[in-house]
């Protein structure tokens, strides 16, 4: 409100007084002159607390700093932490999803195992039991024997003569030492053999693998042939072609497949330019044979892996 307005308001509201004397008029004029020199300070819109005077000699209080820069800094640091956390989490997920040999500084050599396709037991007709289940005391494999032969691992070249189908007796006999083929053939003639399925392959490391599955008419015939192949002959067992002596292989001692029997052998040193390992799998009415041959030395890990997988299919 301006001075003129205030003056008019006072004139309208104040009652008329008697004319002032000369000293009074002079004092009034001085008051009005001072009011014109010192501007009036408008009253605050809200009540303020009364300030407490500082004690004498005390330093003047520092002006209060605004909290806006502090809040802005906190916000910036929060965003930075979130971004860094997101990057760290993404890196961790990336590392856990990578193979160990893909992470710099953590690369390790493979343990030698092969990569096989997904392996599953073949479906059986409804009501037909598995070989070692209740109701199948004869331990008979009712599944198609060709579907029980282990598939070749990834990257392997399959032998077209041994592609997982049926094979003739002469193809199977070619596995044995030339001096043993006649005796094995005679043993098979008396064993009531039904049929033979086989698959063979060669992996990039030079290992040649052969898998033979022989089904007999009963468990008794299968075990009799196994005993003849393993325990007769002048050398103590029927040897693969090119092998002149054998030693027991202990690699399969840790392979545990219920109801099956495993017999593993190594070619005895000194051997020629390549070594052979082989194993028999006694599984009810079926006898499996797995052989691996490689230049220099037949590797232990893929041999153990291959025998164990084939045993599981027969179990």
């Amino acid at each position: 409100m301006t001075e003129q307005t205030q003056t008019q308001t006072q004139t309208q509201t104040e009652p008329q007084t008697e004319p002032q004397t000369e000293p009074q008029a002079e004092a009034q004029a001085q008051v009005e002159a001072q009011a014109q020199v010192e501007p009036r300070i408008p009253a605050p819109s809200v009540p303020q607390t009364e300030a407490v005077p500082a004690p004498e000699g005390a330093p003047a209080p520092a002006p209060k700093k605004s909290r806006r820069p502090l809040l802005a800094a906190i916000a910036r640091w929060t965003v930075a932490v979130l971004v860094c956390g997101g990057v760290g989490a993404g890196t961790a997920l990336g590392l856990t999803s990578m193979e160990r040999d893909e992470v710099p500084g953590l690369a390790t050599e493979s343990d030698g195992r092969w990569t096989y396709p997904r392996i599953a037991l073949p479906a059986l007709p409804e009501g037909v039991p598995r070989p070692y289940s209740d109701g199948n005391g004869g331990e008979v494999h009712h599944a198609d024997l060709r579907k029980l032969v282990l598939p070749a691992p990834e990257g392997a070249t399959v032998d077209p003569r041994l592609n997982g189908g049926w094979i003739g007796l002469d193809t199977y006999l070619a596995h044995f030492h030339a001096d043993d083929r006649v005796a094995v053939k005679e043993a098979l003639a008396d064993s009531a053999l039904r049929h033979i399925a086989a698959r063979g392959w060669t992996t990039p490391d030079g290992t040649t693998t052969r898998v033979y599955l022989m089904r007999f008419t009963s468990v008794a015939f299968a075990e009799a042939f196994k005993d003849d192949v393993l325990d007769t002959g002048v050398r103590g067992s029927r040897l693969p072609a090119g092998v002149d002596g054998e030693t027991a292989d202990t690699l399969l001692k840790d392979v545990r497949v219920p109801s099956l029997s495993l017999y593993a052998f190594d070619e005895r040193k000194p051997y020629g330019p390549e070594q052979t390992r082989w194993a028999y799998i006694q599984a009810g009415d079926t006898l499996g044979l797995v052989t691996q041959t490689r230049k220099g030395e037949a590797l232990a890990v893929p041999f153990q892996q291959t025998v164990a997988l084939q045993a599981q299919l027969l179990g």
Side-chain angles (χ1 to χ4, degrees), residues 12 18-19 25-26 28 31 37 52-53 56 80-81 109 112 121 164 177 181 185 193 246 255 258 295 307 313:
Q12 294 175 359
E18 295 181 358
E26 184 178 355
Q28 179 68 27
V31 172
V37 174
V52 178
E56 293 184 3
V81 170
E109 294 183 0
L121 293 173
H177 198 283
R181 292 173 188 170
K185 188 173 184 178
L193 175 67
E246 86 286 347
V255 178
K295 184 177 180 180
V307 174
L313 277 172

Side-chain angles (χ1 to χ4, degrees), residues 79-305:
V79 173
V81 170
L82 292 176
V83 171
C84 292
V87 172
T91 304
L93 290 175
L95 291 178
T96 55
S97 64
M98 297 171 66
E99 296 295 335
R100 184 175 176 84
D101 56 1
E102 297 175 353
V103 182
L106 295 179
T108 56
E109 294 183 0
S110 170
D111 62 359
R113 284 178 293 179
W114 293 340
T115 302
Y116 280 91
R118 183 179 179 183
I119 300 174
L121 293 173
L124 293 175
E126 185 177 357
V128 176
R130 297 283 178 188
Y132 301 105
S133 60
D134 294 338
N136 192 349
E139 300 178 353
V140 177
H141 287 79
H142 293 286
D144 188 328
L145 192 63
R146 293 169 293 182
K147 295 182 180 180
L148 293 177
V149 181
L150 185 68
E154 295 181 5
T157 301
V158 177
D159 187 340
R161 299 169 301 174
L162 304 174
N163 57 8
W166 304 122
I167 63 170
L169 181 58
D170 289 340
T171 302
Y172 173 72
L173 292 175
H175 156 76
F176 293 95
H177 198 283
D179 295 341
D180 289 335
R181 292 173 188 170
V182 174
V184 173
K185 188 173 184 178
E186 291 177 353
L188 287 173
D190 298 332
S191 62
L193 175 67
R194 295 181 60 187
H195 38 243
I196 307 173
R199 177 174 283 114
W201 64 81
T202 302
T203 50
D205 66 356
T207 301
T208 298
T209 302
R210 300 287 183 263
V211 178
Y212 303 91
L213 298 185
M214 308 172 65
R215 178 176 289 170
F216 298 83
T217 56
S218 69
V219 176
F221 281 112
E223 290 183 347
F225 178 74
K226 179 259 301 181
D227 292 339
D228 180 71
V229 170
L230 294 179
D231 301 331
T232 62
V234 295
R235 286 181 297 272
S237 66
R238 306 299 182 184
L239 298 176
V243 176
D244 292 327
E246 86 286 347
T247 60
D249 192 329
T250 60
L251 285 174
L252 303 183
K253 68 181 187 309
D254 296 328
V255 178
R256 297 286 186 268
V257 181
S259 305
L260 302 188
S261 299
L262 303 178
Y263 309 87
F265 303 89
D266 291 340
E267 183 176 359
R268 187 176 60 213
K269 295 181 180 181
Y271 40 80
E274 59 185 19
Q275 183 192 26
T276 299
R277 297 179 187 267
W278 67 98
Y280 291 98
I281 306 172
Q282 177 65 56
D285 65 341
T286 301
L287 180 66
L289 170 62
V290 177
T291 71
Q292 286 190 349
T293 302
R294 183 176 180 269
K295 184 177 180 180
E297 181 182 4
L299 301 178
V301 172
F303 176 69
Q304 184 184 43
Q305 178 192 19

